[in-house]
């Protein structure tokens, strides 16, 4: 498994690196006018940011693997979690729709339930990372005009469930068991085009395991998906 992982990482880095060095060579050897130069530099920036995302996700994974699970002393407000992730989702939707993030021209219908004053006991940055991975996937895999909704509900057994739903592409049943494997993607080019690393769901699964919880996925091809985070009863409470 370790050998496979190293091979996969090398492959993932090699592709943007090859493209990037090809463009460097072009800029060094061919005289270009200003607009062509800009075009190449923009393409180079995309490849550089692909490598940055990949390295950032790899570091997140290695931190998750190399540290003790979060204790019970840190209190993470569900409302705060939702507010931060909602604003990231709106910005991403605008960017994917070809708009400036600041202009707020959102191309999806994004609805976050108002979260009551609940608190999760766990690691703040990893919970943010798990939620933002799910919400950015929902935005990235849902065509413009589709909707994304996030809700939080206590389960019958005392657990707390956070559902991220979308009306996007959906996922065929045969892929579901493999989605949390590192670098497993249903559609490689779609993942790449929208800035994916193939590591997001592996990170989410890891974060949930560290909190004694779980990630469950239901989906229907062509209709959309639901990604559910379930936290056990001892990991959350109502903030009095
Ligand atoms: P990526 O960076 O490629 O999005 P992830 O680990 O986050 O990697 O997800 C793995 C794969 O699962 C994606 O490449 C995509 O094929 C599929 N996937 C994840 N979320 C969704 C979603 N909301 N709708 C449809 N497919 C999804």
């Amino acid at each position: 498994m370790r050998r496979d992982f190293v091979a996969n990482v090398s492959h993932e880095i090699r592709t943007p690196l090859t493209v990037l060095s090809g463009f460097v060579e072009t800029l060094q050897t061919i005289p270009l006018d200003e607009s062509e130069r800009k075009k190449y530099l923009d393409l180079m920036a995309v490849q550089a940011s692909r490598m940055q995302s990949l390295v950032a996700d790899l570091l997140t994974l290695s931190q998750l693997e190399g540290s003790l699970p979060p204790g019970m002393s840190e209190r993470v407000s569900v409302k705060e979690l939702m507010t931060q992730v909602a604003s990231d989702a709106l910005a991403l939707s605008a960017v994917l729709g070809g708009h400036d993030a600041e202009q707020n021209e959102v191309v999806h219908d994004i609805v976050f339930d108002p979260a009551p004053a609940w608190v999760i006991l766990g690691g703040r940055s990893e919970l943010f990372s798990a939620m933002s991975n799910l919400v950015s996937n929902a935005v990235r895999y849902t065509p413009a005009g589709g909707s994304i909704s996030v809700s939080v509900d206590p389960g019958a057994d005392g657990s707390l469930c956070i559902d991220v739903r979308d009306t996007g592409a959906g996922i065929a049943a045969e892929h579901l068991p493999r989605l949390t494997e590192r670098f497993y993607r249903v559609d490689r080019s779609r993942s790449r085009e929208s800035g994916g690393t193939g590591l997001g769901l592996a990170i989410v699964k890891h974060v949930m395991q560290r909190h004694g919880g779980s990630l469950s996925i239901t989906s229907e091809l062509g209709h959309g998906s639901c990604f559910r985070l379930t936290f056990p009863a001892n990991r959350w409470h109502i903030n009095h």
Side-chain angles (χ1 to χ4, degrees):
M1 255 180 85
R2 196 169 185 90
R3 220 178 29 230
D4 275 1
F5 182 61
V6 173
N8 281 334
V9 170
S10 312
H11 178 77
E12 296 288 334
I13 290 180
R14 192 167 58 183
T15 313
L17 198 53
T18 307
V19 180
L20 193 55
S21 47
F23 289 142
V24 169
E25 202 179 312
T26 307
L27 287 175
Q28 283 172 330
T29 53
I30 303 177
L32 299 168
D33 65 34
E34 203 41 51
S35 76
E36 285 172 326
R37 245 177 91 80
K38 181 174 177 330
K39 195 180 85 190
Y40 280 108
L41 286 171
D42 287 349
L43 291 167
M44 289 165 77
V46 170
Q47 299 304 325
S49 97
R50 254 181 76 182
M51 288 194 284
Q52 269 166 346
S53 310
L54 184 62
V55 171
D57 278 357
L58 286 169
L59 282 174
T60 302
L61 267 179
S62 94
Q63 264 158 13
L64 293 174
E65 280 174 348
S67 61
L68 290 172
M72 296 288 190
S73 56
E74 194 171 358
R75 300 155 54 86
V76 183
S77 141
V78 175
K79 203 185 197 86
E80 190 195 325
L81 193 63
M82 302 271 273
T83 310
Q84 170 72 49
V85 174
S87 78
D88 292 352
L90 295 171
L92 181 62
S93 172
V95 170
L96 289 181
H99 304 289
D100 224 312
E102 280 81 48
Q103 284 170 355
N104 227 359
E105 290 186 56
V106 177
V107 298
H108 298 94
D109 180 23
I110 301 180
V111 182
F112 276 67
D113 269 6
W118 291 333
V119 162
I120 298 175
L121 307 174
R124 173 178 311 260
S125 62
E126 55 190 281
L127 291 172
F128 271 103
S129 170
M131 275 301 287
S132 62
N133 270 306
L134 290 187
V135 172
S136 83
N137 280 354
V139 173
R140 288 167 46 234
Y141 296 109
T142 301
S147 49
I148 288 119
S149 62
V150 179
S151 56
V152 194
D153 289 297
D157 57 354
S159 61
L160 183 71
C161 299
I162 304 184
D163 284 352
V164 179
R165 288 175 197 277
D166 65 64
T167 61
I171 304 153
E174 72 260 29
H175 295 291
L176 293 180
R178 300 198 57 192
L179 284 188
T180 57
E181 287 175 24
R182 291 161 188 206
F183 300 119
Y184 187 85
R185 294 149 163 135
V186 178
D187 179 341
R188 271 199 120 60
S189 59
R190 179 146 196 193
S191 157
R192 290 233 170 91
E193 275 160 26
S194 58
T197 61
L199 295 173
L201 292 179
I203 292 174
V204 178
K205 183 179 174 187
H206 222 92
V207 169
M208 292 314 292
Q209 278 172 348
R210 284 163 57 84
H211 286 82
S214 61
L215 163 70
S216 49
I217 310 169
T218 47
S219 188
E220 210 185 323
L221 197 57
H223 290 279
S225 313
C226 177
F227 290 76
R228 167 171 289 188
L229 303 180
T230 305
F231 294 89
N234 66 337
R235 278 281 181 188
W236 75 282
H237 59 71
I238 297 167
N239 198 18
H240 292 298

